[in-house]
Amino acid sequence: MRKIVTAVVVVLSLGGLVWAQGSLSGELEIFSWWAGDEGVALQALIDLYESLYPGVQVINATVAGGAGINAKAVLKTRMLGGNPPDSFQVHAGQELIGTWVIAHRMEDLTWLFQQEGWLDAFPSGLIDLISTEEGIWSVPLNIHRSNVLWYIPENLEKWGVQVPATWEEFLQIAPVLQEKGVIPLALGRNWTASHLWESVALSVLGPDGWEALWKGELSFTDPKVIEVWDLFGRILEYTNEDAPSLSWQQAVDMVVNGTAAFNVMGDWAAGYMFATLGLEPGVDFGWTPSPGTAGIFMMLSDSFGLPVGAPHRDNAIAWLKVVGSREGQDTFNPLKGSIAARVDSDLTKYNTYLQSAAADWRSNTIVGSLVHGVVANERFMDGFATVMEIFLAGRNSQQAAMAAEAIAIQSGIAK
Ligand code: GAL
C-alpha cells in the first residue's frame, strides 16, 4: 500500500491547471538576457517553478545587455557547439524560425500545445509566428510593444510643451526644449537607435509599407525608405551625444531625472519605471504611441523553446508548462511591463499602463518589430546593426539604403 501511495504523483489543482509536483530532480538551465534590473520578473517566474518542482535546481544563466545583443552571440556559440541550455529566451517570429528552426535545432512542441490546450489559449496570429508547416517551435510568454514614447507629465508642463503626435510636431518643439537646456530625445547605444528607427519607419511607411518591406515587396532603396533615413537623421540632431555609451535604462533615467524630455523604447521601460524605480504609471510617467503611429501596435513576444539535445529535457518541458500557464504569465508580466500572450489573463493584476496596452493589443493594427526578432532573421538583424553604425557615423541616407538592400538580399528578404 505504501509503495502505491509513494508511486502516485502528487497532483494539485491550481487555478484550473493541473500541476504534477515533486517528481522531477536534477538541474534546469534557463538562458536569457534578463539580468540585473531586467531580472525581477524572471526571478518571480523561477520562484513559481521552484515551488512546483522543489527537487529541481534552477540555474538562471543570464548574459546582460539590452535586446540580447550579448546573449545572442553567446547562445550562438553554445548552440553551434552542441552545448545548448535546457531552454532559452527567443523572440517569436523570424529570430526563432529563420535562425534556429530552419537549422533543425529546436524540438517540435505541437504535442505540448495540444496536451495543454494552448491552441485556443494564444491568439492565432501569434501561433502563426512560432509555427511552420512542420510544427510549433516555442512557448510565448508575453507581448511587448515597441512603438511607445515615454515622458514625465510634470516636466512637460514645467517646460510648456505638449506631447507630439507626429515627428514634425516633435521637430517643432525640439528647439524650444534645447533652448531650455533640455535634450529633446534620449538615446542609448546602437540597438536603441535601430529601435527608434523602426518607429520612425513605421510612421513614414504605415503598416502596409512596413509589412511590404519584409515581404520583399518594397525595396530598401525605394524613395519612401530613403525618406525614413532622412527623417531619422533630422531626429538624431536632437539626441544626446553620449548615446553610444548608454544602456536603455540610462536613456530612460535621463527622462526620469529631467535631463531629457522623451524616449522611444519598448514597454520594458514601463516595467523598469514601476518595478525598479517605483514610479506610478499615469502619474509619475506618461506614454503615448511613438509619433505618427497612433492605432498601430508594433509587437514582439519573448518565448522559450526546447533545443534539440537539451540536457534536462523533462525539467525543461515542466518549465515550458509554467511559461505557458495562466499563473506563470500573470506572475511574470505585471512585473515585466508586458501583457500576457494568453488571451485569458487576469487583467486586475496589471497596472494602468498594462491595461491600456492590453486594450490597444486587442483593437490596434498589429505589425512586427525588426529589432526584437519578429520580421527578420538574425543574419539581417546583425547586418542592420552595421548599417546603423555606418549611418550614425556618416548620416548618408542613400548609403544606408543601399547597405540595407544588400543585407536584405543576403538574408533572403529581398530578391
Ligand atoms: C527585448 C526583449 C524584452 C527586453 C528588451 C530589453 O528584446 O524582448 O523583453 O528584455 O529586449 O532588453
Side-chain angles (χ1 to χ4, degrees), residues 215-263:
K215 285 189 198 141
E217 292 165 3
L218 176 67
S219 165
F220 279 84
T221 54
D222 188 279
K224 207 68 195 158
V225 186
I226 294 179
E227 203 182 306
V228 173
W229 288 104
D230 288 343
L231 174 59
F232 180 64
R234 287 169 68 206
I235 296 165
L236 285 183
E237 296 299 319
Y238 296 104
T239 57
N240 42 306
E241 280 175 12
D242 60 352
S245 65
L246 301 187
S247 66
W248 67 263
Q249 290 95 329
Q250 287 171 310
V252 173
D253 288 343
M254 288 175 67
V255 176
V256 171
N257 67 29
T259 314
F262 301 103
N263 177 233

mmCIF file of all heavy atoms in Angstrom, residues 215-263:
data_model
loop_
_atom_site.group_PDB
_atom_site.id
_atom_site.type_symbol
_atom_site.label_atom_id
_atom_site.label_comp_id
_atom_site.label_asym_id
_atom_site.label_seq_id
_atom_site.Cartn_x
_atom_site.Cartn_y
_atom_site.Cartn_z
ATOM 1 N N LYS A 215 8.304 41.541 -46.777
ATOM 2 C CA LYS A 215 7.888 40.507 -47.737
ATOM 3 C C LYS A 215 8.701 40.625 -49.014
ATOM 4 O O LYS A 215 8.458 39.901 -49.986
ATOM 5 C CB LYS A 215 6.408 40.699 -48.081
ATOM 6 C CG LYS A 215 5.463 40.264 -46.981
ATOM 7 C CD LYS A 215 4.030 40.299 -47.527
ATOM 8 C CE LYS A 215 3.016 40.301 -46.417
ATOM 9 N NZ LYS A 215 1.880 41.192 -46.701
ATOM 10 N N GLY A 216 9.619 41.578 -49.046
ATOM 11 C CA GLY A 216 10.422 41.768 -50.261
ATOM 12 C C GLY A 216 9.651 42.494 -51.339
ATOM 13 O O GLY A 216 10.040 42.504 -52.502
ATOM 14 N N GLU A 217 8.529 43.133 -50.961
ATOM 15 C CA GLU A 217 7.706 43.828 -51.963
ATOM 16 C C GLU A 217 8.014 45.320 -52.039
ATOM 17 O O GLU A 217 7.546 46.005 -52.934
ATOM 18 C CB GLU A 217 6.213 43.616 -51.630
ATOM 19 C CG GLU A 217 5.785 42.171 -51.825
ATOM 20 C CD GLU A 217 4.451 41.848 -51.171
ATOM 21 O OE1 GLU A 217 3.820 42.760 -50.603
ATOM 22 O OE2 GLU A 217 4.061 40.669 -51.220
ATOM 23 N N LEU A 218 8.722 45.833 -51.062
ATOM 24 C CA LEU A 218 9.147 47.236 -51.086
ATOM 25 C C LEU A 218 10.664 47.240 -50.925
ATOM 26 O O LEU A 218 11.193 46.670 -49.961
ATOM 27 C CB LEU A 218 8.481 48.016 -49.941
ATOM 28 C CG LEU A 218 8.901 49.473 -49.771
ATOM 29 C CD1 LEU A 218 8.429 50.323 -50.959
ATOM 30 C CD2 LEU A 218 8.322 50.056 -48.472
ATOM 31 N N SER A 219 11.335 47.878 -51.886
ATOM 32 C CA SER A 219 12.798 47.857 -51.847
ATOM 33 C C SER A 219 13.344 48.801 -50.778
ATOM 34 O O SER A 219 12.780 49.866 -50.523
ATOM 35 C CB SER A 219 13.321 48.267 -53.231
ATOM 36 O OG SER A 219 14.676 48.587 -53.132
ATOM 37 N N PHE A 220 14.462 48.414 -50.185
ATOM 38 C CA PHE A 220 15.122 49.286 -49.194
ATOM 39 C C PHE A 220 15.678 50.545 -49.848
ATOM 40 O O PHE A 220 16.028 51.493 -49.155
ATOM 41 C CB PHE A 220 16.234 48.520 -48.470
ATOM 42 C CG PHE A 220 15.710 47.654 -47.361
ATOM 43 C CD1 PHE A 220 15.217 46.390 -47.621
ATOM 44 C CD2 PHE A 220 15.677 48.121 -46.056
ATOM 45 C CE1 PHE A 220 14.708 45.601 -46.609
ATOM 46 C CE2 PHE A 220 15.172 47.347 -45.037
ATOM 47 C CZ PHE A 220 14.686 46.082 -45.311
ATOM 48 N N THR A 221 15.773 50.536 -51.172
ATOM 49 C CA THR A 221 16.269 51.735 -51.860
ATOM 50 C C THR A 221 15.123 52.567 -52.442
ATOM 51 O O THR A 221 15.359 53.556 -53.137
ATOM 52 C CB THR A 221 17.257 51.336 -52.984
ATOM 53 O OG1 THR A 221 16.604 50.379 -53.833
ATOM 54 C CG2 THR A 221 18.523 50.737 -52.429
ATOM 55 N N ASP A 222 13.892 52.189 -52.154
ATOM 56 C CA ASP A 222 12.735 52.965 -52.593
ATOM 57 C C ASP A 222 12.818 54.383 -51.978
ATOM 58 O O ASP A 222 13.228 54.532 -50.818
ATOM 59 C CB ASP A 222 11.459 52.262 -52.115
ATOM 60 C CG ASP A 222 10.203 52.875 -52.689
ATOM 61 O OD1 ASP A 222 9.748 53.909 -52.153
ATOM 62 O OD2 ASP A 222 9.675 52.315 -53.671
ATOM 63 N N PRO A 223 12.410 55.411 -52.750
ATOM 64 C CA PRO A 223 12.456 56.793 -52.219
ATOM 65 C C PRO A 223 11.748 56.941 -50.872
ATOM 66 O O PRO A 223 12.174 57.726 -50.019
ATOM 67 C CB PRO A 223 11.732 57.606 -53.298
ATOM 68 C CG PRO A 223 11.848 56.810 -54.546
ATOM 69 C CD PRO A 223 11.973 55.371 -54.162
ATOM 70 N N LYS A 224 10.683 56.165 -50.669
ATOM 71 C CA LYS A 224 9.945 56.248 -49.401
ATOM 72 C C LYS A 224 10.825 55.774 -48.229
ATOM 73 O O LYS A 224 10.746 56.301 -47.121
ATOM 74 C CB LYS A 224 8.717 55.331 -49.548
ATOM 75 C CG LYS A 224 7.522 55.655 -48.750
ATOM 76 C CD LYS A 224 6.822 56.920 -49.140
ATOM 77 C CE LYS A 224 5.851 57.339 -48.054
ATOM 78 N NZ LYS A 224 5.536 58.759 -48.118
ATOM 79 N N VAL A 225 11.645 54.767 -48.495
ATOM 80 C CA VAL A 225 12.508 54.244 -47.423
ATOM 81 C C VAL A 225 13.687 55.201 -47.196
ATOM 82 O O VAL A 225 14.143 55.392 -46.063
ATOM 83 C CB VAL A 225 12.986 52.804 -47.744
ATOM 84 C CG1 VAL A 225 13.751 52.219 -46.571
ATOM 85 C CG2 VAL A 225 11.806 51.905 -48.091
ATOM 86 N N ILE A 226 14.136 55.822 -48.261
ATOM 87 C CA ILE A 226 15.197 56.833 -48.103
ATOM 88 C C ILE A 226 14.666 58.008 -47.268
ATOM 89 O O ILE A 226 15.379 58.558 -46.419
ATOM 90 C CB ILE A 226 15.728 57.265 -49.483
ATOM 91 C CG1 ILE A 226 16.422 56.047 -50.119
ATOM 92 C CG2 ILE A 226 16.693 58.458 -49.367
ATOM 93 C CD1 ILE A 226 16.992 56.236 -51.466
ATOM 94 N N GLU A 227 13.378 58.303 -47.461
ATOM 95 C CA GLU A 227 12.725 59.351 -46.660
ATOM 96 C C GLU A 227 12.783 59.000 -45.161
ATOM 97 O O GLU A 227 12.914 59.876 -44.306
ATOM 98 C CB GLU A 227 11.267 59.420 -47.122
ATOM 99 C CG GLU A 227 10.566 60.713 -46.870
ATOM 100 C CD GLU A 227 9.104 60.603 -47.357
ATOM 101 O OE1 GLU A 227 8.870 60.233 -48.541
ATOM 102 O OE2 GLU A 227 8.196 60.863 -46.542
ATOM 103 N N VAL A 228 12.672 57.707 -44.854
ATOM 104 C CA VAL A 228 12.772 57.272 -43.450
ATOM 105 C C VAL A 228 14.129 57.675 -42.879
ATOM 106 O O VAL A 228 14.227 58.256 -41.800
ATOM 107 C CB VAL A 228 12.593 55.737 -43.320
ATOM 108 C CG1 VAL A 228 12.863 55.281 -41.894
ATOM 109 C CG2 VAL A 228 11.213 55.294 -43.792
ATOM 110 N N TRP A 229 15.191 57.366 -43.646
ATOM 111 C CA TRP A 229 16.550 57.688 -43.167
ATOM 112 C C TRP A 229 16.731 59.197 -43.022
ATOM 113 O O TRP A 229 17.362 59.668 -42.070
ATOM 114 C CB TRP A 229 17.609 57.105 -44.109
ATOM 115 C CG TRP A 229 17.722 55.615 -44.025
ATOM 116 C CD1 TRP A 229 17.251 54.700 -44.925
ATOM 117 C CD2 TRP A 229 18.342 54.860 -42.968
ATOM 118 N NE1 TRP A 229 17.539 53.427 -44.501
ATOM 119 C CE2 TRP A 229 18.211 53.491 -43.305
ATOM 120 C CE3 TRP A 229 18.987 55.197 -41.778
ATOM 121 C CZ2 TRP A 229 18.708 52.468 -42.498
ATOM 122 C CZ3 TRP A 229 19.481 54.174 -40.969
ATOM 123 C CH2 TRP A 229 19.332 52.829 -41.325
ATOM 124 N N ASP A 230 16.158 59.970 -43.982
ATOM 125 C CA ASP A 230 16.273 61.435 -43.900
ATOM 126 C C ASP A 230 15.620 61.954 -42.613
ATOM 127 O O ASP A 230 16.215 62.748 -41.888
ATOM 128 C CB ASP A 230 15.595 62.098 -45.110
ATOM 129 C CG ASP A 230 16.391 61.905 -46.399
ATOM 130 O OD1 ASP A 230 17.593 61.557 -46.305
ATOM 131 O OD2 ASP A 230 15.817 62.093 -47.494
ATOM 132 N N LEU A 231 14.395 61.489 -42.364
ATOM 133 C CA LEU A 231 13.685 61.955 -41.167
ATOM 134 C C LEU A 231 14.422 61.496 -39.908
ATOM 135 O O LEU A 231 14.603 62.268 -38.955
ATOM 136 C CB LEU A 231 12.240 61.420 -41.181
ATOM 137 C CG LEU A 231 11.398 61.706 -39.933
ATOM 138 C CD1 LEU A 231 11.281 63.213 -39.679
ATOM 139 C CD2 LEU A 231 10.000 61.081 -40.061
ATOM 140 N N PHE A 232 14.877 60.252 -39.940
ATOM 141 C CA PHE A 232 15.624 59.702 -38.797
ATOM 142 C C PHE A 232 16.852 60.570 -38.497
ATOM 143 O O PHE A 232 17.142 60.896 -37.343
ATOM 144 C CB PHE A 232 16.017 58.258 -39.139
ATOM 145 C CG PHE A 232 16.788 57.547 -38.070
ATOM 146 C CD1 PHE A 232 16.220 57.286 -36.832
ATOM 147 C CD2 PHE A 232 18.098 57.112 -38.298
ATOM 148 C CE1 PHE A 232 16.939 56.622 -35.842
ATOM 149 C CE2 PHE A 232 18.812 56.440 -37.316
ATOM 150 C CZ PHE A 232 18.232 56.199 -36.086
ATOM 151 N N GLY A 233 17.545 60.991 -39.564
ATOM 152 C CA GLY A 233 18.731 61.846 -39.411
ATOM 153 C C GLY A 233 18.374 63.181 -38.762
ATOM 154 O O GLY A 233 19.099 63.682 -37.901
ATOM 155 N N ARG A 234 17.231 63.748 -39.162
ATOM 156 C CA ARG A 234 16.810 65.039 -38.571
ATOM 157 C C ARG A 234 16.492 64.865 -37.085
ATOM 158 O O ARG A 234 16.804 65.716 -36.264
ATOM 159 C CB ARG A 234 15.581 65.564 -39.310
ATOM 160 C CG ARG A 234 15.906 66.095 -40.707
ATOM 161 C CD ARG A 234 14.636 66.338 -41.497
ATOM 162 N NE ARG A 234 13.842 67.440 -40.976
ATOM 163 C CZ ARG A 234 12.509 67.555 -41.145
ATOM 164 N NH1 ARG A 234 11.842 66.650 -41.825
ATOM 165 N NH2 ARG A 234 11.870 68.601 -40.646
ATOM 166 N N ILE A 235 15.883 63.739 -36.745
ATOM 167 C CA ILE A 235 15.535 63.481 -35.337
ATOM 168 C C ILE A 235 16.801 63.300 -34.490
ATOM 169 O O ILE A 235 16.904 63.795 -33.363
ATOM 170 C CB ILE A 235 14.610 62.235 -35.240
ATOM 171 C CG1 ILE A 235 13.287 62.508 -35.942
ATOM 172 C CG2 ILE A 235 14.387 61.827 -33.781
ATOM 173 C CD1 ILE A 235 12.459 61.265 -36.230
ATOM 174 N N LEU A 236 17.789 62.606 -35.088
ATOM 175 C CA LEU A 236 19.040 62.350 -34.343
ATOM 176 C C LEU A 236 19.733 63.645 -33.899
ATOM 177 O O LEU A 236 20.469 63.651 -32.909
ATOM 178 C CB LEU A 236 20.020 61.531 -35.196
ATOM 179 C CG LEU A 236 19.747 60.041 -35.372
ATOM 180 C CD1 LEU A 236 20.868 59.412 -36.190
ATOM 181 C CD2 LEU A 236 19.593 59.316 -34.040
ATOM 182 N N GLU A 237 19.479 64.736 -34.647
ATOM 183 C CA GLU A 237 20.078 66.024 -34.279
ATOM 184 C C GLU A 237 19.659 66.465 -32.876
ATOM 185 O O GLU A 237 20.292 67.313 -32.260
ATOM 186 C CB GLU A 237 19.643 67.128 -35.268
ATOM 187 C CG GLU A 237 20.116 66.922 -36.701
ATOM 188 C CD GLU A 237 21.627 66.883 -36.797
ATOM 189 O OE1 GLU A 237 22.289 67.684 -36.131
ATOM 190 O OE2 GLU A 237 22.142 66.005 -37.526
ATOM 191 N N TYR A 238 18.569 65.899 -32.399
ATOM 192 C CA TYR A 238 18.042 66.321 -31.093
ATOM 193 C C TYR A 238 18.234 65.254 -30.014
ATOM 194 O O TYR A 238 17.460 65.165 -29.075
ATOM 195 C CB TYR A 238 16.563 66.694 -31.245
ATOM 196 C CG TYR A 238 16.397 67.893 -32.151
ATOM 197 C CD1 TYR A 238 15.947 67.749 -33.461
ATOM 198 C CD2 TYR A 238 16.736 69.161 -31.696
ATOM 199 C CE1 TYR A 238 15.834 68.850 -34.297
ATOM 200 C CE2 TYR A 238 16.628 70.270 -32.517
ATOM 201 C CZ TYR A 238 16.175 70.108 -33.814
ATOM 202 O OH TYR A 238 16.079 71.206 -34.630
ATOM 203 N N THR A 239 19.249 64.422 -30.195
ATOM 204 C CA THR A 239 19.525 63.391 -29.184
ATOM 205 C C THR A 239 20.864 63.689 -28.488
ATOM 206 O O THR A 239 21.640 64.528 -28.965
ATOM 207 C CB THR A 239 19.584 61.982 -29.828
ATOM 208 O OG1 THR A 239 20.584 61.982 -30.852
ATOM 209 C CG2 THR A 239 18.246 61.598 -30.452
ATOM 210 N N ASN A 240 21.129 63.004 -27.421
ATOM 211 C CA ASN A 240 22.342 63.216 -26.611
ATOM 212 C C ASN A 240 23.589 62.663 -27.292
ATOM 213 O O ASN A 240 23.549 61.587 -27.902
ATOM 214 C CB ASN A 240 22.187 62.549 -25.233
ATOM 215 C CG ASN A 240 21.542 61.191 -25.315
ATOM 216 O OD1 ASN A 240 20.460 61.037 -25.880
ATOM 217 N ND2 ASN A 240 22.202 60.176 -24.778
ATOM 218 N N GLU A 241 24.688 63.392 -27.139
ATOM 219 C CA GLU A 241 25.933 62.976 -27.803
ATOM 220 C C GLU A 241 26.553 61.726 -27.200
ATOM 221 O O GLU A 241 27.268 60.992 -27.874
ATOM 222 C CB GLU A 241 26.952 64.121 -27.762
ATOM 223 C CG GLU A 241 26.649 65.127 -28.855
ATOM 224 C CD GLU A 241 27.533 66.348 -28.800
ATOM 225 O OE1 GLU A 241 28.536 66.327 -28.054
ATOM 226 O OE2 GLU A 241 27.216 67.304 -29.505
ATOM 227 N N ASP A 242 26.260 61.471 -25.928
ATOM 228 C CA ASP A 242 26.882 60.293 -25.296
ATOM 229 C C ASP A 242 26.062 59.016 -25.505
ATOM 230 O O ASP A 242 26.300 57.993 -24.857
ATOM 231 C CB ASP A 242 27.128 60.536 -23.796
ATOM 232 C CG ASP A 242 25.840 60.815 -23.030
ATOM 233 O OD1 ASP A 242 24.781 60.972 -23.683
ATOM 234 O OD2 ASP A 242 25.893 60.868 -21.786
ATOM 235 N N ALA A 243 25.098 59.065 -26.434
ATOM 236 C CA ALA A 243 24.223 57.904 -26.668
ATOM 237 C C ALA A 243 24.991 56.574 -26.810
ATOM 238 O O ALA A 243 24.594 55.579 -26.200
ATOM 239 C CB ALA A 243 23.342 58.141 -27.889
ATOM 240 N N PRO A 244 26.096 56.515 -27.591
ATOM 241 C CA PRO A 244 26.754 55.212 -27.792
ATOM 242 C C PRO A 244 27.214 54.529 -26.510
ATOM 243 O O PRO A 244 27.459 53.324 -26.509
ATOM 244 C CB PRO A 244 27.967 55.572 -28.670
ATOM 245 C CG PRO A 244 27.597 56.852 -29.337
ATOM 246 C CD PRO A 244 26.728 57.585 -28.371
ATOM 247 N N SER A 245 27.335 55.301 -25.417
ATOM 248 C CA SER A 245 27.835 54.654 -24.195
ATOM 249 C C SER A 245 26.717 54.346 -23.196
ATOM 250 O O SER A 245 26.984 53.877 -22.088
ATOM 251 C CB SER A 245 28.880 55.551 -23.530
ATOM 252 O OG SER A 245 28.262 56.746 -23.095
ATOM 253 N N LEU A 246 25.467 54.592 -23.584
ATOM 254 C CA LEU A 246 24.389 54.418 -22.605
ATOM 255 C C LEU A 246 23.539 53.169 -22.860
ATOM 256 O O LEU A 246 23.228 52.834 -24.001
ATOM 257 C CB LEU A 246 23.452 55.630 -22.616
ATOM 258 C CG LEU A 246 24.057 57.004 -22.303
ATOM 259 C CD1 LEU A 246 22.950 58.042 -22.183
ATOM 260 C CD2 LEU A 246 24.882 56.972 -21.015
ATOM 261 N N SER A 247 23.133 52.524 -21.755
ATOM 262 C CA SER A 247 22.182 51.412 -21.853
ATOM 263 C C SER A 247 20.782 51.998 -22.038
ATOM 264 O O SER A 247 20.572 53.201 -21.840
ATOM 265 C CB SER A 247 22.218 50.586 -20.563
ATOM 266 O OG SER A 247 21.739 51.376 -19.484
ATOM 267 N N TRP A 248 19.815 51.129 -22.345
ATOM 268 C CA TRP A 248 18.444 51.655 -22.495
ATOM 269 C C TRP A 248 17.940 52.192 -21.160
ATOM 270 O O TRP A 248 17.226 53.192 -21.120
ATOM 271 C CB TRP A 248 17.505 50.603 -23.099
ATOM 272 C CG TRP A 248 17.204 49.388 -22.247
ATOM 273 C CD1 TRP A 248 17.815 48.166 -22.304
ATOM 274 C CD2 TRP A 248 16.186 49.274 -21.228
ATOM 275 N NE1 TRP A 248 17.252 47.310 -21.386
ATOM 276 C CE2 TRP A 248 16.252 47.955 -20.724
ATOM 277 C CE3 TRP A 248 15.230 50.151 -20.711
ATOM 278 C CZ2 TRP A 248 15.399 47.498 -19.703
ATOM 279 C CZ3 TRP A 248 14.385 49.692 -19.701
ATOM 280 C CH2 TRP A 248 14.480 48.379 -19.209
ATOM 281 N N GLN A 249 18.375 51.570 -20.058
ATOM 282 C CA GLN A 249 17.923 52.063 -18.752
ATOM 283 C C GLN A 249 18.468 53.469 -18.492
ATOM 284 O O GLN A 249 17.761 54.332 -17.960
ATOM 285 C CB GLN A 249 18.404 51.135 -17.619
ATOM 286 C CG GLN A 249 17.728 49.776 -17.592
ATOM 287 C CD GLN A 249 18.521 48.711 -18.310
ATOM 288 O OE1 GLN A 249 19.232 48.986 -19.259
ATOM 289 N NE2 GLN A 249 18.402 47.476 -17.856
ATOM 290 N N GLN A 250 19.718 53.693 -18.895
ATOM 291 C CA GLN A 250 20.303 55.030 -18.671
ATOM 292 C C GLN A 250 19.607 56.098 -19.516
ATOM 293 O O GLN A 250 19.492 57.246 -19.086
ATOM 294 C CB GLN A 250 21.807 55.003 -18.964
ATOM 295 C CG GLN A 250 22.582 54.257 -17.881
ATOM 296 C CD GLN A 250 24.034 54.043 -18.278
ATOM 297 O OE1 GLN A 250 24.335 53.571 -19.378
ATOM 298 N NE2 GLN A 250 24.945 54.387 -17.386
ATOM 299 N N ALA A 251 19.145 55.699 -20.702
ATOM 300 C CA ALA A 251 18.394 56.656 -21.532
ATOM 301 C C ALA A 251 17.047 56.969 -20.860
ATOM 302 O O ALA A 251 16.613 58.125 -20.834
ATOM 303 C CB ALA A 251 18.195 56.094 -22.939
ATOM 304 N N VAL A 252 16.402 55.943 -20.292
ATOM 305 C CA VAL A 252 15.144 56.181 -19.557
ATOM 306 C C VAL A 252 15.420 57.074 -18.349
ATOM 307 O O VAL A 252 14.656 58.003 -18.055
ATOM 308 C CB VAL A 252 14.500 54.834 -19.124
ATOM 309 C CG1 VAL A 252 13.285 55.077 -18.216
ATOM 310 C CG2 VAL A 252 14.089 54.004 -20.332
ATOM 311 N N ASP A 253 16.533 56.816 -17.674
ATOM 312 C CA ASP A 253 16.896 57.632 -16.496
ATOM 313 C C ASP A 253 16.970 59.119 -16.859
ATOM 314 O O ASP A 253 16.601 59.982 -16.059
ATOM 315 C CB ASP A 253 18.269 57.209 -15.938
ATOM 316 C CG ASP A 253 18.223 55.857 -15.226
ATOM 317 O OD1 ASP A 253 17.107 55.401 -14.887
ATOM 318 O OD2 ASP A 253 19.306 55.264 -15.025
ATOM 319 N N MET A 254 17.472 59.416 -18.060
ATOM 320 C CA MET A 254 17.591 60.825 -18.477
ATOM 321 C C MET A 254 16.226 61.501 -18.514
ATOM 322 O O MET A 254 16.096 62.685 -18.199
ATOM 323 C CB MET A 254 18.230 60.919 -19.872
ATOM 324 C CG MET A 254 19.708 60.583 -19.878
ATOM 325 S SD MET A 254 20.360 60.580 -21.564
ATOM 326 C CE MET A 254 20.212 62.303 -21.982
ATOM 327 N N VAL A 255 15.212 60.747 -18.923
ATOM 328 C CA VAL A 255 13.851 61.297 -18.952
ATOM 329 C C VAL A 255 13.340 61.448 -17.519
ATOM 330 O O VAL A 255 12.783 62.473 -17.145
ATOM 331 C CB VAL A 255 12.920 60.380 -19.791
ATOM 332 C CG1 VAL A 255 11.477 60.882 -19.742
ATOM 333 C CG2 VAL A 255 13.405 60.316 -21.234
ATOM 334 N N VAL A 256 13.570 60.420 -16.724
ATOM 335 C CA VAL A 256 13.067 60.427 -15.346
ATOM 336 C C VAL A 256 13.700 61.572 -14.543
ATOM 337 O O VAL A 256 13.013 62.262 -13.788
ATOM 338 C CB VAL A 256 13.336 59.057 -14.672
ATOM 339 C CG1 VAL A 256 13.030 59.097 -13.186
ATOM 340 C CG2 VAL A 256 12.507 57.968 -15.360
ATOM 341 N N ASN A 257 15.008 61.809 -14.745
ATOM 342 C CA ASN A 257 15.629 62.866 -13.930
ATOM 343 C C ASN A 257 15.574 64.255 -14.581
ATOM 344 O O ASN A 257 16.164 65.203 -14.076
ATOM 345 C CB ASN A 257 17.065 62.476 -13.521
ATOM 346 C CG ASN A 257 18.011 62.411 -14.728
ATOM 347 O OD1 ASN A 257 17.819 63.115 -15.717
ATOM 348 N ND2 ASN A 257 19.029 61.569 -14.642
ATOM 349 N N GLY A 258 14.854 64.341 -15.720
ATOM 350 C CA GLY A 258 14.622 65.667 -16.311
ATOM 351 C C GLY A 258 15.749 66.197 -17.178
ATOM 352 O O GLY A 258 15.725 67.357 -17.587
ATOM 353 N N THR A 259 16.737 65.360 -17.509
ATOM 354 C CA THR A 259 17.797 65.792 -18.434
ATOM 355 C C THR A 259 17.245 65.819 -19.856
ATOM 356 O O THR A 259 17.640 66.631 -20.682
ATOM 357 C CB THR A 259 18.988 64.795 -18.394
ATOM 358 O OG1 THR A 259 19.279 64.509 -17.039
ATOM 359 C CG2 THR A 259 20.207 65.333 -19.105
ATOM 360 N N ALA A 260 16.334 64.881 -20.133
ATOM 361 C CA ALA A 260 15.740 64.777 -21.468
ATOM 362 C C ALA A 260 14.218 64.771 -21.350
ATOM 363 O O ALA A 260 13.667 64.484 -20.284
ATOM 364 C CB ALA A 260 16.213 63.489 -22.146
ATOM 365 N N ALA A 261 13.558 65.090 -22.489
ATOM 366 C CA ALA A 261 12.090 65.173 -22.450
ATOM 367 C C ALA A 261 11.412 63.860 -22.814
ATOM 368 O O ALA A 261 10.411 63.484 -22.190
ATOM 369 C CB ALA A 261 11.629 66.277 -23.393
ATOM 370 N N PHE A 262 11.928 63.187 -23.849
ATOM 371 C CA PHE A 262 11.241 61.995 -24.356
ATOM 372 C C PHE A 262 12.223 60.853 -24.608
ATOM 373 O O PHE A 262 13.428 61.080 -24.740
ATOM 374 C CB PHE A 262 10.538 62.304 -25.692
ATOM 375 C CG PHE A 262 9.519 63.393 -25.602
ATOM 376 C CD1 PHE A 262 9.806 64.680 -26.084
ATOM 377 C CD2 PHE A 262 8.263 63.156 -25.051
ATOM 378 C CE1 PHE A 262 8.864 65.697 -26.002
ATOM 379 C CE2 PHE A 262 7.314 64.169 -24.969
ATOM 380 C CZ PHE A 262 7.616 65.443 -25.443
ATOM 381 N N ASN A 263 11.667 59.653 -24.700
ATOM 382 C CA ASN A 263 12.451 58.478 -25.093
ATOM 383 C C ASN A 263 11.506 57.527 -25.824
ATOM 384 O O ASN A 263 10.380 57.326 -25.379
ATOM 385 C CB ASN A 263 13.038 57.799 -23.844
ATOM 386 C CG ASN A 263 13.823 56.526 -24.131
ATOM 387 O OD1 ASN A 263 13.572 55.476 -23.556
ATOM 388 N ND2 ASN A 263 14.791 56.608 -25.014
#
